[in-house]
Amino acid sequence: MLITLSILVFLVAQTLAWLQINGQFIWPWARDHRVLLSIIGITISYLLMVASDLAYDGLDGKLWPGRFLAFAIGMLVFTILTSTLLGEGITFKSGVSLFLALVIIILQLI
């Protein structure tokens, strides 16, 4: 249960981080309000700390598996949002990287 909750919080945090960093390429107002978006980074940092704490507790006090989960979830979120919101396709190299990210998540869950 802790790992599932951790994954969900990582998903939310990674999505917000993607929007914070790359929103400027979608919405002109984001480019003009970088300071405001930077302040929102405090919330993102807090969510990442909570997700890491949940992963740490759910993975028997081990930090590395949670880090791998965060990385892999970040790769997946980046791919989905970049593809859907910016229209960038997935190249062969990106596809292989995504496959490996999925393998990382699966390995940490078994």
Side-chain angles (χ1 to χ4, degrees):
M1 181 66 175
L2 290 175
I3 297 170
T4 301
L5 190 54
S6 171
I7 289 171
L8 292 174
V9 177
F10 274 130
L11 281 169
V12 170
Q14 294 284 5
T15 300
L16 291 174
W18 190 96
L19 292 170
Q20 176 196 34
I21 295 165
N22 301 304
Q24 63 183 326
F25 306 120
I26 301 168
W27 306 291
W29 68 265
R31 183 174 285 128
D32 298 332
H33 296 90
R34 291 180 179 176
V35 173
L36 174 62
L37 289 172
S38 296
I39 293 169
I40 294 170
I42 295 169
T43 302
I44 297 167
S45 295
Y46 179 77
L47 289 172
L48 290 170
M49 286 188 280
V50 169
S52 292
D53 187 43
L54 291 166
Y56 184 81
D57 290 342
L59 295 164
D60 300 323
K62 293 185 174 71
L63 198 56
W64 274 107
R67 177 62 191 119
F68 287 134
L69 277 177
F71 167 75
I73 291 166
M75 289 288 296
L76 294 173
V77 166
F78 182 89
T79 301
I80 291 166
L81 293 177
T82 302
S83 176
T84 56
L85 297 179
L86 292 176
E88 287 188 29
I90 298 172
T91 64
F92 175 75
K93 288 192 300 186
S94 298
V96 170
S97 296
L98 284 174
F99 173 75
L100 292 173
L102 283 171
V103 170
I104 289 169
I105 291 173
I106 292 167
L107 285 174
Q108 297 309 317
L109 296 177
I110 58 173

